Amino acid sequence: MEIFSAADNLSEITPKDMGFVVLTEFEDDQIYEGMLIDYYVSPLFGIKMKWQTEITQVDYRKSFTDFQKKDLTNYGITIMNLFPMNRAF
């Protein structure tokens, strides 16, 4: 799915009430490992905060993992998947 391959699509997969706005401008916005993306997000009471994420893993058109480099806690990992992950518990 193309939505998981382009950085500008991150706002499409983020809940609207988060107020997610990509700030980084890309010539080619295809997601790749090591990509840094700056954005605004408004998670609490509409207060706009500047965050930065680094794409740490990409499975083209299926999933990506990002690490929140600059956020409220300065720590956070997000895994976005098109298909459910297989887990053994």
Side-chain angles (χ1 to χ4, degrees), residues 32-62:
Y32 58 87
E33 291 179 14
M35 179 181 231
L36 295 176
I37 305 168
D38 293 307
Y39 56 93
Y40 282 125
V41 65
S42 304
L44 301 169
F45 310 112
I47 299 169
K48 189 185 292 187
M49 298 175 211
K50 189 172 181 181
W51 288 20
Q52 183 181 66
T53 192
E54 178 180 2
I55 304 299
T56 58
Q57 184 178 12
V58 176
D59 187 354
Y60 183 68
R61 300 180 85 183
K62 293 182 183 174

Side-chain angles (χ1 to χ4, degrees), residues 4 10 13 31 55 57-58 62-66 78-80:
F4 286 97
L10 292 175
I13 59 177
I31 289 179
I55 304 299
Q57 184 178 12
V58 176
K62 293 182 183 174
S63 69
F64 66 86
T65 303
D66 71 298
T78 307
I79 301 172
M80 303 298 291

